[in-house]
Amino acid sequence: MADHLDLHTVGDLLHHYPRRYAERGELTRLSDLPLDEHVTVVAQVADARVHTFNGGRGRRLEVTITDGSGRLQLVFFGKGVHKPRSELQPGTRAMFAGKVSVFNRKRQLAHPEFKTLGAESGVEAVEAFAHQLLPLYPACKQMESWQIQQAIDTVLGPAGHEEAALAGLIDPLPDSLREGRGLATLPEALRKIHRPATKTDIALARDRLKWDEAFVLQVALARRRRADAQLPAAPRKPVPDGLLTAFDARLPFTLTEGQRRVSEEIFADLATDHPMHRLLQGEVGSGKTMVALRAMLGVVDAGGQAAMLAPTEVLAQQHHRSITEMMGELAEGGMLGGAEQGTKVVLLTGSMGAAARRQALLDLVTGEAGIVIGTHALIEDKVQFHDLGLVVVDEQHRFGVEQRDALRSKGKQPPHLLVMTATPIPRTVAMTVFGDLETSVLDQLPAGRSPIASHVVPAKDKPHFLTRAWERVREEVAAGHQGYVVCPRIGDDAGDEGDASKGAASPSPEDEAEKRPPLAVVEVAEQLTKGPLSDLRVEVLHGRMQPEAKDDVMRRFAAGEVDVLVATTVIEVGVNVPNATAMVIMDADRFGVSQLHQLRGRVGRGSAAGLCLLVTDMPEASPARARLGAVAATLDGFELSRIDLEQRREGDVLGQAQSGVRSSLRVLAVIDDEEVIAAAREEAAAIVADDPELTGYPELRTALDALLDKEREEYLDKG
C-alpha cells in the first residue's frame, strides 16, 4: 500500500475515501435473472460439489441454489473455495449478490458475495443486505478495492463498535466551529464515509470532511499571509515629476479606466513595507505590459531596479523592443541624447555574445540599468543587482515556482512580485479561490482592439467546412491581412517538440482512440502550398529552427512579406502582428483550453476583426468537442480557466500533483465548493488573527504539520 497508493499509516488509510458506492440491487427471483447485471437473490443451497482439474492442482466449487422459481449455479475457484465450502452446506438459506454471466449456455454467478441467513432472519435483514452501499476505493493493479476495504474493516472493527476504534483520532476542527456549523464529529464522518447505511450518511460525511480540507488549508494560507505581512520590504513610492511622469506625458493615448484602477492598486502595494504579492489577470491584449511597465518605472523613480522575467528568448527580445520603443529617449539614461530622468533598459538572455552580456551584468550591479528584461538567464548565480525592488513574471505558467523564488532571493530585502497571466491556469485559479494571491483584473480591451470570432470546424463530419476555412484565410489575405496556421507537431520527428501535448490536458479516451499522429507543421505547410493556398506566400516557424532563421521569418511576417505562417505553439505568447487577422488551429482538440485561448489572442490585435477556426476530427458528442465549443463560446480567460479546472481538477493546490505528490484535496473540489472555501477562509483568518501560533489549538497544529510536510511548506513559501 505504501508503495502503490502512498498510504503509510492507519490515518492515511482512514482518509483514503471511497470514490463511489455500488448498490447490490433489488431482490430478484431466479427465474427472472437479467444477464450482465448485478443482482441480489435469496435462495437455498440444493447441492455443493468440489471438482479438481489440472491433475488435481486446480479446484472449483460448484453450488446449485434454488428459490422455488428456478435454479442457478454459483462457482468459486482456487483459494476462494474454502469459506463457501464450509458455510454453504445443502439446506442452508443465504443471500447471494454478483453479476450474472453465462457458461455452457447456463446462467451462473462467479465468486458472488453471500451472507447466510439464520432461521430468525426476517425481511428487514434481507432488504438491508440487498440495499447496502458498497464502497469502491481508488485502487491500483497491485491493490484491489476489496483488499483496501478489508484493511479498513480490520481497522474499524466489527459493525457498531467503530467509535472505539476511532476514539483516539486528532480532530483539527475546533469544537466551537464544528458545533456552530452543525458538522458531524470526525469519528462519525469516517464511520459514515466507509460504512454508510444510507446516501444521507455519505452526504453528511462528505460535508464534514470537505471542511477539514478547506479549513486546514486556509489556516496554512492565513498564516502564510500573516508571515508575508511581517516580512520587511523597501516601500517604493514614485517621486513626483520623475521618470513615470515623463513617460505618461509622452504616451500617444490615454490609459483605459481598468489600467488606471489596476495601476493604483499596484502602487498602493508598492508603497507598503511588506512585499506585494499580486496576480495581474488580463485578457490577451488588454494592456498588461503597459501596467507592468508603469510599475517598473515607479520603482526606478524610487531608487530601485525592476526585472521582467519572460518565458522565451523571442518574447524577452520582443518585450525589450516594445518597452524601449514606448520609452524612447527615457530608455537611454546616461547616453548621449538620453533624457536626464532616463534609465538604461538592458536585455539579458542565454544566447547573447560575451561582450554584450558582460556589459549588461555590469549595468545591473552598478545600478546603471533600472530595468532588465530577460529569460532564465536572469536567475543564474553570477547575476547581481544593485537594489532589486520589483520582479515582474510574464505568463506565470511557463515558470516554475523555484525560478521565481531564485530571482526574488536576489534582492537585499524580498522584492515586490507581480505575476502577469492572460489565462489563469488551474493552480492560479485554485489559489485565487483560496485567496493566497491578491488579484487585479483588466477586463476592457484598449481602444482600437477588435473582437475575435471563434468557430469549431468539424473536419471529419463536415469536410466542406474545412474547405470553407481555407477560403476564409484567402479572403483575409485578399483584403490585405495575414494569417496563422497552428499545428501540434513539427513533423521531422527527430525528438519532436510535442508542443501541444506539453500544455494540453492529459490525453482523453477519445484522444487515445484516435491513433492518427497529430498534424505536423512541415506536412501541413507542404499540403497547403500545393493545394488550397497555392498562390500565397507560406512560411514555417517552429522551435527547432536556428534563432537567426526564426527571427528572420518573424521579421518578414511582421513586415507583411509573408501571407500565412504555419507554426507550432512557439507563437503562443507575445507575438504581436496587428495585421494578422485569421488563425486556423489544426487538431485543436490536442491543445489545452489555456493554450487555445493564448493562441487565439495572436489575432484581432489591430483595427480589423479577428477570426479563429478550431479544426478537429473529434465526434460531436465527445468531451473534446465540448471543450472546443466552450473556447469558441467565450473570450473570457477566467471563465475558460474555470472550464479547464472543472475538466482537469486542481492538480494539487499545495504542490504539483504532476511532481508525484498526492493531492491534499480528496473530497474538496475547488470550483464546486467555493462557498465552503470562502467560509473556511473567514474562520481561519479569525483564528490566526487571534492566535497566530495556534497555541490554543494543538490538534489543528498537528493537522497542519501533517499537511505541510517540508516540501509543501516550501512550495507555499514560494507561492
Side-chain angles (χ1 to χ4, degrees):
M1 270 198 191
D3 289 351
H4 300 296
L5 292 169
D6 197 18
L7 304 176
H8 302 270
T9 64
V10 168
D12 287 345
L13 185 62
L14 287 173
H15 290 291
H16 187 73
Y17 308 131
R19 187 178 63 244
R20 57 189 179 87
Y21 299 83
E23 285 185 80
R24 289 200 176 99
E26 299 287 323
L27 282 178
T28 315
R29 285 159 47 94
L30 292 186
S31 55
D32 303 334
L33 288 182
L35 264 184
D36 278 342
E37 281 188 28
H38 285 276
V39 297
T40 300
V41 295
V42 174
Q44 195 165 19
V45 176
D47 180 36
R49 296 178 185 189
V50 174
H51 301 271
T52 58
F53 54 94
N54 272 0
R57 289 197 301 278
R59 308 174 74 187
R60 180 175 80 247
L61 170 66
E62 290 180 1
V63 178
T64 307
I65 58 172
T66 175
D67 69 348
S69 74
R71 293 166 80 84
L72 180 69
Q73 191 161 336
L74 318 176
V75 287
F76 301 87
F77 293 95
K79 291 180 182 160
V81 162
H82 305 306
K83 183 172 183 274
R85 186 181 183 187
S86 64
E87 293 188 15
L88 298 179
Q89 298 295 326
T92 307
R93 229 173 126 253
M95 296 180 280
F96 303 91
K99 192 173 180 180
V100 184
S101 56
V102 169
F103 181 71
N104 277 347
R105 295 204 290 280
K106 280 189 191 159
R107 280 176 300 189
Q108 67 167 26
L109 296 182
H111 282 282
E113 297 174 81
F114 65 89
K115 184 175 183 181
T116 55
L117 295 169
E120 73 293 344
S121 296
V123 177
E124 289 84 0
V126 172
E127 285 289 323
F129 176 85
H131 291 288
Q132 190 185 342
L133 293 158
L134 306 169
L136 298 174
Y137 291 88
C140 60
K141 203 161 63 192
Q142 294 81 358
M143 182 60 81
E144 297 279 4
S145 174
W146 61 269
Q147 293 171 297
I148 295 168
Q149 188 183 351
Q150 278 181 334
I152 286 171
D153 281 343
T154 307
V155 171
L156 291 178
H161 299 279
E162 296 91 349
E163 303 292 329
L166 298 170
L169 281 177
I170 290 170
D171 188 339
L173 289 194
D175 289 346
S176 55
L177 187 160
R178 186 178 57 71
E179 288 158 11
R181 296 202 171 256
L183 297 167
T185 63
L186 188 55
E188 186 190 356
L190 289 172
R191 175 173 62 78
K192 285 183 170 171
I193 200 129
H194 292 298
R195 290 180 174 171
T198 62
K199 289 181 177 164
T200 311
D201 279 357
I202 299 169
L204 281 171
R206 290 177 71 86
D207 285 349
R208 158 63 212 245
L209 297 168
K210 278 178 183 181
W211 257 92
D212 283 14
E213 288 180 11
F215 177 70
V216 175
L217 185 50
Q218 282 297 2
V219 169
L221 292 172
R223 295 184 74 207
R224 191 64 265 126
R225 280 195 299 276
R226 193 176 180 283
D228 271 350
Q230 316 275 310
L231 278 177
R236 309 283 179 174
K237 293 181 184 163
V239 294
D241 300 326
L243 183 55
L244 180 59
T245 313
F247 175 75
D248 283 349
R250 53 167 291 147
L251 277 180
F253 51 83
T254 52
L255 297 175
T256 65
E257 181 55 41
Q259 285 175 316
R260 274 201 296 279
R261 186 192 70 248
V262 170
S263 287
E264 278 164 23
E265 291 170 353
I266 291 171
F267 283 123
D269 280 0
L270 290 173
T272 60
D273 51 12
H274 59 85
M276 167 169 82
H277 214 130
R278 191 169 280 279
L279 170 71
L280 174 54
Q281 140 71 19
E283 283 312 327
V284 179
S286 58
K288 293 185 298 293
T289 310
M290 173 59 69
V291 169
L293 175 55
R294 294 185 74 246
M296 288 160 78
L297 295 173
V299 168
V300 175
D301 264 350
Q305 290 169 293
M308 182 184 255
L309 209 51
T312 63
E313 290 208 358
V314 171
L315 191 53
Q317 285 158 353
Q318 196 154 345
H319 274 316
H320 183 254
R321 207 164 33 242
S322 65
I323 283 173
T324 48
E325 277 169 17
M326 280 194 269
M327 287 176 63
E329 72 273 12
L330 296 174
E332 296 166 359
M335 292 190 265
L336 266 161
E340 58 181 292
Q341 322 94 309
T343 185
K344 246 188 181 180
V345 179
V346 302
L347 177 69
L348 190 61
T349 63
S351 65
M352 283 170 73
R357 187 181 173 78
R358 221 174 9 254
Q359 184 60 52
L361 290 172
L362 189 64
D363 288 342
L364 286 184
V365 78
T366 60
E368 189 91 0
I371 294 178
V372 57
I373 295 151
T375 54
H376 300 66
L378 278 178
I379 300 166
E380 291 170 10
D381 290 343
K382 48 181 174 292
V383 179
Q384 298 295 319
F385 289 85
H386 176 64
D387 179 15
L388 181 60
L390 170 66
V391 174
V392 178
V393 179
D394 188 16
E395 288 310 335
Q396 175 243 3
H397 64 284
R398 299 301 194 86
F399 269 108
V401 174
E402 291 75 16
Q403 294 163 320
R404 294 208 305 267
D405 193 51
L407 188 52
R408 282 169 70 192
S409 67
K410 291 186 178 293
K412 294 192 179 79
Q413 291 181 312
H416 300 281
L417 175 69
L418 180 65
V419 172
M420 300 197 296
T421 177
T423 21
I425 46 151
R427 178 175 180 268
T428 314
V429 177
M431 276 304 201
T432 307
V433 176
F434 281 104
D436 186 45
L437 291 166
E438 293 301 323
T439 307
S440 293
V441 181
L442 278 175
D443 46 14
Q444 327 160 249
L445 290 183
R449 293 303 298 269
S450 303
I452 305 170
S454 308
H455 303 283
V456 178
V457 177
K460 205 166 192 170
D461 305 350
K462 299 179 178 169
H464 59 286
F465 275 36
L466 184 58
T467 310
R468 176 72 190 121
W470 301 126
E471 282 171 14
R472 284 292 292 113
V473 173
R474 298 174 62 87
E475 287 164 16
E476 289 299 310
V477 173
H481 299 302
Q482 294 160 276
Y484 299 99
V485 176
V486 182
C487 305
R489 214 160 49 96
I490 296 173
D492 46 4
D493 289 335
D496 219 332
E497 71 179 286
D499 287 280
S501 55
K502 282 182 193 164
S506 52
S508 59
E510 69 257 27
D511 288 355
E512 296 295 350
E514 170 79 272
K515 288 291 184 270
R516 162 176 81 64
L519 291 170
V521 167
V522 179
E523 294 149 18
V524 168
E526 191 179 341
Q527 287 161 12
L528 292 176
T529 47
K530 287 181 179 165
L533 307 183
S534 57
D535 52 343
L536 302 184
R537 298 168 296 178
V538 177
E539 294 269 3
V540 300
L541 178 72
H542 57 72
R544 284 213 308 279
M545 289 164 63
Q546 291 303 315
E548 311 79 65
K550 266 196 289 199
D551 286 349
D552 177 57
V553 172
M554 268 321 299
R555 191 186 49 68
R556 287 189 293 116
F557 186 64
E561 295 163 19
V562 173
D563 296 322
V564 177
L565 192 59
V566 183
T568 56
T569 51
V570 290
I571 63 153
E572 178 183 349
V573 187
V575 171
N576 186 11
V577 179
N579 191 43
T581 53
M583 175 174 285
V584 180
I585 303 178
M586 308 302 290
D587 278 345
D589 47 273
R590 309 217 184 203
F591 296 88
V593 169
S594 312
Q595 263 191 321
L596 292 170
H597 183 56
Q598 280 288 12
L599 286 165
R600 167 172 65 186
R602 301 302 114 212
V603 295
R605 301 180 76 83
S607 51
L611 172 70
C612 178
L613 302 173
L614 306 166
V615 180
T616 178
D617 281 352
M618 285 296 151
E620 196 163 353
S622 64
R625 271 286 279 282
R627 202 167 70 228
L628 294 180
V631 174
T634 179
L635 292 171
D636 178 339
F638 253 122
E639 184 51 37
L640 286 174
S641 69
R642 291 171 76 91
I643 292 164
D644 209 7
L645 187 46
E646 279 164 355
Q647 295 198 335
R648 286 160 52 165
R649 291 300 306 263
E650 297 72 24
D652 188 358
V653 176
L654 286 191
Q656 253 56 15
Q658 298 88 299
S659 66
V661 180
R662 192 178 74 241
S663 174
S664 58
L665 302 187
R666 296 169 204 187
V667 284
L668 195 68
V670 168
I671 290 291
D672 299 340
D673 297 320
E674 279 183 67
E675 282 165 25
V676 175
I677 291 162
R681 182 181 186 190
E682 278 174 37
E683 297 275 11
I687 280 178
V688 170
D690 186 45
D691 181 359
E693 294 308 309
L694 306 178
T695 344
Y697 303 96
E699 292 90 351
L700 178 54
R701 276 217 67 105
T702 308
L704 263 185
D705 293 341
L707 177 78
L708 298 178
D709 53 32
K710 190 91 186 84
E711 183 177 351
R712 287 193 167 135
E713 182 75 89
E714 284 169 4
Y715 189 88
L716 261 190
D717 265 345
K718 291 165 182 170

